[in-house]
């Protein structure tokens, strides 16, 4: 890895600001790294090399701008976010060749901050999956071990950052899709509170669950991106108009964990965990205690219903959201169809992959008259109880901690024949979305058995990202370093 691509976002930003390096040098280093590693990692669906270099040249000509906090920093964007004039496929054949005419708000804000869009990251089709194997194009590999998956659905975002191809990426998280790949790839990823970041320009999966968030190599890097993308946007009516704290400044405000209470839910620290995940996460919690945190046991009694609840609500919303892909307005259209209905059916059958079709069918079923009350309405009621469960728990502690996933990254193909088994892997992450709370994954070392990264999950109170990042930032310096993969 060339030295430049080994730097963190925070480090490269400082070098760019004082002109030790130019935006063109940094961009070229990232492109070289992409060229060297992409054949094995396959993290990106498209690379905007020429545009990125042209943008870097223009930035260099104008000179560093202190008002633009990501000046000259190459970033990747999950391919579910609209990027003006740049392919946006959602990992699906149905959107092959689609180029939006506008930028998602989060992307526009990154550009205004001076960031350089270098590539669009691979993902499970329409963000449905946990391994990136559901991409209609190719499966992304985990840079730590290319026989393993990077997690999903933002697996391309996780792998591109871990592989040193760029300094950070945007992912999206409906039920864990930022936290799981962050955990599997040994990087930091945060799903902000529902409403914290505008979803304008994000292709919706489960609209009441979706959030956009940063994935980077360090907590401070994540704080820098969150500073830029957080905040109200009148084009997303679910974005909340509350002040955005300076997340980077907040990091310096805490020196230890005294006075902090961390809740440990029994349901998350049980026998279902692999021993290496339990060990790494337990060590991290002991470290937090050594730094002054108090830990308390908790119960999240409704955890056993979380998967069923999520997989009713998410598929119901998905079936409705994906109705717009009908071959008329965007992407793939079957040319042989003889009438309108035939065209819808053929275009959708050819354009959507197996998992997406499965979910559309399930979602349509749980919303259909006669079943709506038994499934969708019931799930919505249970969801409310899950939210109350979390609110009560967060009344007893400042943060909830547990693993992100029961295991480290699985082998490619290990779960593809058993969708239910794959759904079960979301057990620790999906409740955070059902409750609308912020959650993040922090790397806490490598597993003793597989040598793969382990992520600790923190879940906080609504709009309390600053505290979560502070705690993660202090723990990051104290736990065994995860380092970077050798590729
Ligand atoms: N694995 C979960 C699913 O397939 C979560 C995906 C996500 O967060 N986008 O729905």
């Amino acid at each position: 890895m060339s030295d430049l691509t080994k730097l963190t976002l925070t480090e490269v930003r400082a070098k760019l600001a004082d002109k030790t390096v130019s935006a063109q040098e940094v961009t070229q280093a990232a492109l070289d790294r992409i060229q060297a590693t992409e054949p094995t990692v396959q993290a990106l669906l498209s690379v905007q090399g020429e545009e990125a270099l042209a943008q870097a040249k223009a930035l260099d000509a104008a000179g560093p701008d202190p008002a633009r906090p990501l000046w000259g920093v190459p970033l990747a964007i999950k391919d579910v976010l609209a990027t003006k004039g740049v392919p946006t496929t959602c990992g699906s054949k149905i959107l092959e060749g689609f180029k939006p005419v506008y930028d998602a708000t989060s992307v526009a804000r990154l550009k205004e901050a001076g960031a350089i869009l270098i590539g669009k990251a691979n993902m499970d089709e329409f963000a449905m999956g946990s391994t990136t194997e559901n991409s209609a194009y190719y499966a992304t590999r985990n840079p730590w071990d290319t026989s393993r998956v990077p997690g999903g659905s933002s697996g391309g975002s996780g792998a591109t950052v871990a592989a040193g191809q760029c300094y950070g990426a945007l992912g999206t998280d409906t039920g864990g899709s930022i936290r799981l790949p962050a955990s599997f790839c040994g990087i930091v990823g945060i799903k902000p509170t529902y409403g914290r970041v505008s979803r304008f320009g994000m292709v919706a999966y489960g609209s009441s669950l979706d959030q956009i968030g940063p994935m980077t190599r360090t907590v401070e890097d994540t704080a820098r991106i969150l500073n830029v993308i957080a905040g109200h946007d009148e084009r997303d009516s679910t974005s909340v108009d509350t002040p955005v704290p300076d997340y980077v400044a907040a990091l310096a405000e805490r020196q230890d964990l005294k006075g902090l209470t961390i809740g440990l839910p029994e349901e998350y620290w049980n026998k279902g965990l692999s021993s290496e995940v339990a060990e790494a996460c337990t060590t991290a919690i002991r470290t937090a205690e050594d730094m002054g945190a108090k830990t308390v046991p908790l119960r999240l009694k409704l955890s056993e219903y979380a998967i069923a609840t999520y997989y009713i609500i998410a598929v119901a919303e998905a079936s409705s959201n994906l109705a717009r892909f009908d071959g008329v307005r965007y992407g793939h259209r079957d040319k042989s169809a003889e009438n309108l209905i035939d065209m819808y059916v053929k275009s959708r059958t050819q354009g959507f992959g197996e998992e997406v079709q499965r979910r559309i069918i399930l979602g349509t079923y749980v919303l259909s008259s006669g079943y709506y009350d038994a499934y969708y309405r019931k799930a919505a009621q249970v969801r409310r109880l899950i939210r109350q469960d979390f609110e009560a728990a967060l009344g007893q502690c400042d943060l909830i901690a547990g693993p992100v996933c029961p295991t480290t990254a699985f082998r490619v193909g290990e779960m593809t024949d058993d969708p239910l088994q794959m759904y079960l892997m979301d057990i620790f992450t999906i409740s955070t979305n059902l409750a609308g709370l912020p959650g993040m994954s922090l790397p806490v070392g490598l597993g003793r058995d597989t040598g793969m990264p382990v992520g600790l999950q923190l879940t906080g109170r609504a709009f309390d990202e600053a505290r979560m990042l502070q705690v993660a930032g202090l723990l990051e310096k104290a736990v065994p370093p995860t380092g970077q993969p050798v590729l």
Side-chain angles (χ1 to χ4, degrees), residues 78 127-130 153 172-177 205 310-311 359 426:
K78 186 178 183 180
M128 297 174 183
S130 305
S153 65
T172 64
D173 191 311
T174 305
S177 280
Y205 164 16
Y310 170 85
Y311 276 99
R359 294 191 189 198
D426 299 334

